[in-house]
Amino acid sequence: QFDNQWILGTSGATPARIDDTGTFTDTETGAKIGRWVWLGYGEEGRLVVCPPSPSSACTAALAGLGAGNVNNGTHSYKITFVRSVSDTESIESGGSPASNVVTTTGGDGQVALTAIPTGASGTTSRKIYRTAAGGATYKLLATISDNTTTVYADNLADASLGATVPTGITHDDPS
C-alpha cells in the first residue's frame, strides 16, 4: 500500500505524492511522473520508475515529397516513452493513442509526423511504431534518442519494421 507516501521529486526539490496504485504525481504541476515497478526477481530486484504511457497521439500527414519507400496503403502511428534504468537497461511505457490514418500512394510514399509527444522528466528516448499498409499491428519504426524532438520523416518500407508495440510496461534487460 503506497497511499499517503511522499518521495523527492524529479527536480530534487519538489515532492511527489504516491497514490494507492503506485502512481506518483508532482505536487506542484499535477503531472503524472510515473509508476513504481519492481525490476528483478525476489530480493535481487529494485524499485524503479516507469514512465506513464503518452496520453496524446502524434499527427501524420503525407510529406508531399513524391515517391518514397512507405508501402502503398493506410498507416497509423503510436509513440512510447523510454527511461534508462542503467547503462544497459531501459524500461518502456505502453503505446500512445493511435494517430490519424494516412494513406500513401505510389506518387506520395513518405509521411511527416508532427506533434510527437514528449515525456516527463527522466524520459531518455521515445519509440515510434507504425502499422504496415492496411494492417492493425504496430511495429517499431524508429527510436528518437531525446525527449525534445517533435517531428519525424517516415520513409521506411513495411518489410523493415521491427518489434511489436508493447501493450504495457516492458523491461529491456540484456542479461
Side-chain angles (χ1 to χ4, degrees), residues 19 21-24 33-37 48-52 83 91 169:
D19 68 19
T21 68
T23 300
F24 58 104
I33 299 169
R35 174 173 284 197
W36 285 111
V37 294
V48 297
V49 178
C50 177
R83 179 173 284 150
I91 192 162
I169 299 167

Side-chain angles (χ1 to χ4, degrees), residues 122-134:
T123 302
T124 53
S125 62
R126 283 140 324 132
K127 292 186 178 183
I128 303 171
Y129 293 83
R130 184 188 84 206
T131 59

